[in-house]
Amino acid sequence: MVRGFSDNYGRLPNYIDGRYVEVYTDRYLPTYDPGTGRVIGEVPVLKDVDVAVGAAARAFEKWSRVPVYDRLQYLARLKALMEEHRDEIVRMLSQNVGKTLTDARGEFRRAMDSVDMALGTPSLMAQVLKVMNVAGGDAEIDMETVREPLGVFAIITPFNFPVMIPFWFIPLAVTLGNTVVLKPSELDPVAPLFVASLFERAGYPPGVVNVVTGDGATAEALIKHPEVVGVAFVGSTRVGQQVYAMAAAHGKRVLVGAGAKNPVVVMPDAAPADKVVENIISGFFNLSGQRCLAPGNLVLVGDAYAKYRDLVVDRARKVRVGYQLHEETEMGPLVSDAARKRVAGMVEKAIGEGAKPLLDGRDYRVDPAYASGFYLGPTVLDGVAPDMEIAREEVFGPVIPILRFDTFEEALEFANSGKYGNAASIFTTSGKYAREFARRVNAGNVGINMSVAQPLPFFPFGGRKQSFFGVLHAQIDAVDFFTDRKVVMGRWW
Ligand code: NAD
């Protein structure tokens, strides 16, 4: 059971049909506290998702007929319970993902923003069309659209926001009358499993929200299951492309948010310098760079290179790396040892290709009590060329690759040259450059004087090129994803 914060959660359950259930399987994966490197639970890997999908399918029959206002009451109760358990959820997020308490509080806040958005569902559903007297004859014909829920949705989510990203989808999906099976990342399912119990306590009928643990095999079983009508997936581009193809091959609705490499362009007129630097540092290093909206390249234009290069390195050197649950820590570990090795390998390759380390986080020494954690310090690489792997591929770690261009046009051309299109930012005091950048950059989310361009839930979560597959985005767009419009026409003689 996951009834509260603990140093060891033992063998983790699934949450199916309104309760925790023990899972019998031949495969379990360890889940860690990345800050200590210690195993804090065992994650069952299921290939058979029939029980969970069956519970969700049965629940859909009744749940889809529960009046909208009753569905809102459950959500309001869930919101109150989440707030009541805020500190516990924050600590679990911090412990299992490795994010600092500040980052975990931010995630909690963003998850609650999505609840608030879903509480506005009646007004979102009210966008219907009715035209009276579209045709006549011996009686007039009226025509209208009504929005209907569709059934069971699979929600498959990445490790970096184990509560916020499921909450982009679950509150909206269920308030619109669907039922869901969530498969959180196998790396850190503790907090979502705890939150599942709050759905039970909020009074949601059994089967409306279910959580199955596992890895890609479990996710594939969900995607292929005949009773699953749609798949909302967020994760890497490699897996996202497979999910997109597989879901389409099985005739499912699908929404895929994927990887990123977000350019941050700094113009020579960017100011005030202290705020610009602080924003760049928090963008690159919060959550140890493991955010799909984290900047991926620092693009310094003209004189901005001389002005900002050393300021950024000096501030990066001061970032306090340490155990994530300590209040003073500014940057915690990476999520896994594999992630740490992968990022260190990318840094090594970049140096081999000619990049110059101004700050090398591979040498960072944390407090010896936490030496077994998966830490990397802030890294700043100068002299990065546009064709190096470190400039083109997602690092998902605390690394700032610096690229230098002479003009705005060259910087913009580079910003648009990559395969991703999640976000892009510019720092400038010139309205002309800001407007030109926003207009011409090929990215779903654009930041002006902010390094992390995160849209609130009343806006779609954009994404282009290989950062997104599908038509409807997460957040507000998902109202259309989780419902279908039926056209009803009739006459009365
Ligand atoms: P990942 O792709 O490794 O895993 C994501 C989910 O997919 C997990 O639940 C995993 O178990 C599952 N999965 C693994 N193999 C699968 C398969 N073959 N079929 C179906 N599902 C499978 O991603 P991650 O490492 O957990 O997360 C980091 C990635 O997510 C980064 O690339 C990041 O940019 C991206 N991300 C994107 C957004 C966005 O909105 N665009 C948001 C957050 C994270």
Side-chain angles (χ1 to χ4, degrees):
M1 305 301 102
V2 190
R3 293 287 182 194
F5 184 89
S6 165
D7 284 343
N8 193 338
Y9 299 90
R11 200 160 267 189
L12 291 164
N14 281 195
Y15 176 80
I16 296 174
D17 224 359
R19 63 195 176 87
Y20 284 130
V21 292
E22 209 174 320
V23 178
Y24 300 96
T25 173
D26 53 2
R27 203 151 73 88
Y28 295 86
L29 297 169
T31 182
Y32 292 88
D33 172 342
T36 60
R38 274 203 293 270
V39 174
I40 58 168
E42 283 182 88
V43 182
V45 179
L46 267 188
K47 277 206 205 124
D48 181 354
V49 294
D50 264 354
V51 179
V53 176
R58 278 193 310 280
F60 177 70
E61 294 305 317
K62 281 191 184 155
W63 178 246
S64 54
R65 293 193 198 107
V66 169
V68 173
Y69 272 97
D70 293 357
R71 298 203 293 251
L72 288 173
Q73 292 311 313
Y74 292 114
L75 189 58
R77 250 178 276 159
L78 177 78
K79 179 176 163 157
L81 283 163
M82 297 270 297
E83 293 288 2
E84 197 181 301
H85 290 277
R86 172 181 177 271
D87 289 347
E88 198 148 33
I89 295 168
V90 162
R91 291 181 69 217
M92 283 178 186
L93 284 170
S94 173
Q95 172 197 38
N96 203 195
V97 189
K99 57 177 66 182
T100 62
L101 287 166
T102 306
D103 284 341
R105 288 183 193 115
E107 167 164 9
F108 182 86
R109 192 67 274 134
R110 292 293 186 220
M112 298 313 282
D113 287 348
S114 289
V115 173
D116 290 342
M117 189 267 259
L119 284 169
T121 311
S123 61
L124 303 174
M125 289 174 78
Q127 294 154 6
V128 294
L129 181 73
K130 175 158 187 170
V131 181
M132 298 180 79
N133 191 19
V134 288
D138 47 357
E140 291 181 358
I141 294 179
D142 302 336
M143 205 173 277
E144 68 182 321
T145 55
V146 290
R147 223 176 248 281
E148 291 189 337
L150 289 157
V152 182
F153 279 86
I155 317 273
I156 301 165
T157 52
F159 77 83
N160 58 346
F161 289 95
V163 171
M164 181 191 82
I165 293 181
F167 269 57
W168 282 350
F169 304 111
I170 297 174
L172 204 50
V174 301
T175 310
L176 289 165
N178 303 284
T179 57
V180 299
V181 180
L182 167 70
K183 197 216 69 71
S185 167
E186 62 274 31
L187 293 177
D188 50 17
V190 167
L193 278 168
F194 175 74
V195 169
S197 73
L198 302 182
F199 281 90
E200 172 198 331
R201 286 176 54 197
Y204 276 88
V208 173
V209 174
N210 307 274
V211 183
V212 292
T213 56
D215 58 9
T218 320
E220 282 189 26
L222 274 175
I223 296 164
K224 291 178 179 165
H225 198 288
E227 287 194 271
V228 167
V229 295
V231 180
F233 171 93
V234 179
S236 62
T237 293
R238 185 184 60 79
V239 176
Q241 275 174 320
Q242 292 170 23
V243 168
Y244 189 57
M246 192 187 300
H250 288 80
K252 311 294 166 81
R253 286 190 165 209
V254 59
L255 178 170
V256 168
K261 183 73 178 170
N262 310 311
V264 169
V265 174
V266 182
M267 296 300 292
D269 63 0
D274 55 339
K275 289 197 163 51
V276 172
V277 169
E278 212 46 50
N279 204 265
I280 288 170
I281 293 292
S282 65
F284 274 96
F285 297 137
N286 281 8
L287 191 38
S288 306
Q290 302 168 111
R291 287 197 283 189
C292 70
L293 290 175
N297 285 313
L298 182 61
V299 179
L300 301 180
V301 179
D303 293 345
Y305 177 76
K307 181 170 173 193
Y308 280 103
R309 187 189 86 144
D310 294 342
L311 289 176
V312 164
V313 176
D314 287 348
R315 178 62 185 88
R317 208 185 295 282
K318 293 187 191 120
V319 171
R320 286 188 304 275
V321 182
Y323 187 50
Q324 69 270 17
L325 279 154
H326 292 163
E327 199 65 64
E328 69 279 6
T329 296
E330 283 185 310
M331 191 173 100
L334 293 169
V335 70
S336 64
D337 198 35
R340 177 177 57 175
K341 288 188 176 128
R342 185 182 48 75
V343 175
M346 287 182 84
V347 170
E348 187 169 322
K349 186 163 177 204
I351 295 169
E353 288 174 350
K356 279 222 311 274
L358 302 179
L359 187 62
D360 191 339
R362 294 173 301 168
D363 304 332
Y364 200 96
R365 295 279 166 268
V366 289
D367 175 343
Y370 297 98
S372 304
F374 311 138
Y375 298 93
L376 266 186
T379 297
V380 184
L381 298 174
D382 196 9
V384 172
D387 57 349
M388 287 182 187
E389 180 196 65
I390 201 96
R392 309 218 74 84
E393 297 296 335
E394 184 172 42
V395 177
F396 234 54
V399 180
I400 304 185
I402 296 182
L403 291 101
R404 182 181 184 179
F405 292 99
D406 290 334
T407 65
F408 171 81
E409 287 299 330
E410 285 170 8
L412 181 63
E413 191 185 328
F414 169 72
N416 281 335
S417 68
K419 62 185 173 193
Y420 299 106
N422 211 36
S425 294
I426 186 166
F427 284 87
T428 180
T429 45
S430 149
K432 180 173 158 45
Y433 281 130
R435 181 187 178 280
E436 196 74 356
F437 187 79
R439 172 91 176 81
R440 290 167 58 196
V441 77
N442 193 6
N445 308 292
V446 180
I448 297 168
N449 294 321
M450 57 178 72
S451 67
V452 175
Q454 178 165 7
L456 289 169
F458 276 103
F459 294 83
F461 192 104
R464 296 195 178 166
K465 298 197 265 182
Q466 291 191 28
S467 292
F468 177 78
F469 304 94
V471 178
L472 297 167
H473 293 266
Q475 305 196 149
I476 193 80
D477 263 13
V479 174
D480 286 334
F481 184 70
F482 290 125
T483 54
D484 195 19
R485 277 169 295 173
K486 181 189 273 176
V487 187
V488 180
M489 59 211 83
R491 66 155 69 91
W492 297 90
W493 283 295

